[in-house]
Amino acid sequence: MRHVSSADPEVAEYAFTTKQIVVGHCEIGRDRVQIVDTPGILDRPAHERNYIEHQALSAITNVADVILFIIDASEACGYQITEQLNLLEELRRVIDDVPIEVVVNKSDLKTLDGYYNMSTASGEGLEEIVDLLLTYRESSPSSPLMHIEE
């Protein structure tokens, strides 16, 4: 968020530092694009999810034009890739009217073939990801909103 928008979210050396919905903006030409970062959602039954997870799901199902689903291939977040991919598949089943782009973060530690790879630590791949997300703005210019899910 801080690399691509006006938002200044809390960042720490441990996973799941986003405790609330964070909104940032960036100027693209004459347009102002809104980017929303939500707290992470865990791969567990819906009835076991906490208020923050439900709030994140509500935000992405009700306002997003595109969802950026971020995988931690290093598994430093404490969740195996299989668990992260299970969550991705659940989101695809539940949210069928919002496109989901999948990106692997921490590519400075580990990459995954078949996905876009980026590193927020080094900045590698960020510009390509922003460009990818902006293609959705072109197809929906009246609602310039992106969502980032990690």
Side-chain angles (χ1 to χ4, degrees):
M1 286 286 290
R2 85 178 57 233
H3 292 292
V4 298
S5 78
S6 61
D8 188 25
E10 176 186 348
V11 177
E13 293 299 317
Y14 54 89
F16 299 100
T17 56
T18 304
K19 304 286 188 238
Q20 62 187 3
I21 293 173
V22 177
V23 178
H25 296 90
C26 63
E27 304 292 328
I28 309 293
R30 294 185 192 200
D31 296 329
R32 186 171 188 185
V33 177
Q34 183 175 327
I35 302 172
V36 178
D37 182 8
T38 66
I41 303 165
L42 302 179
D43 178 30
R44 57 185 173 183
H47 69 276
E48 292 180 16
R49 291 189 177 131
N50 62 36
Y51 173 77
I52 294 170
E53 290 172 285
H54 287 290
Q55 188 178 40
L57 281 168
S58 179
I60 64 177
T61 57
N62 293 306
V63 299
D65 289 328
V66 60
I67 297 168
L68 179 64
F69 187 92
I70 302 174
I71 294 174
D72 178 357
S74 75
E75 299 178 342
C77 64
Y79 292 90
Q80 296 179 356
I81 292 172
T82 55
E83 293 171 288
Q84 296 174 61
L85 293 175
N86 285 341
L87 177 60
L88 173 61
E89 290 311 311
E90 178 188 348
L91 289 177
R92 285 185 169 148
R93 283 190 307 273
V94 174
I95 307 167
D96 60 356
D97 59 339
V98 178
I100 301 174
E101 292 291 347
V102 182
V103 175
V104 174
N105 191 22
K106 301 182 184 173
S107 63
D108 51 313
L109 302 176
K110 186 172 181 180
T111 61
L112 282 180
D113 291 336
Y115 296 98
Y116 293 98
N117 287 271
M118 70 176 189
S119 169
T120 54
S122 71
E124 171 196 353
L126 289 178
E127 188 174 326
E128 292 82 4
I129 301 307
V130 171
D131 289 345
L132 169 67
L133 294 175
L134 289 175
T135 63
Y136 291 94
R137 182 182 120 260
E138 293 166 4
S139 64
S140 180
S142 63
S143 182
L145 176 69
M146 290 184 254
H147 169 264
I148 299 175
E149 164 63 34
E150 180 175 23

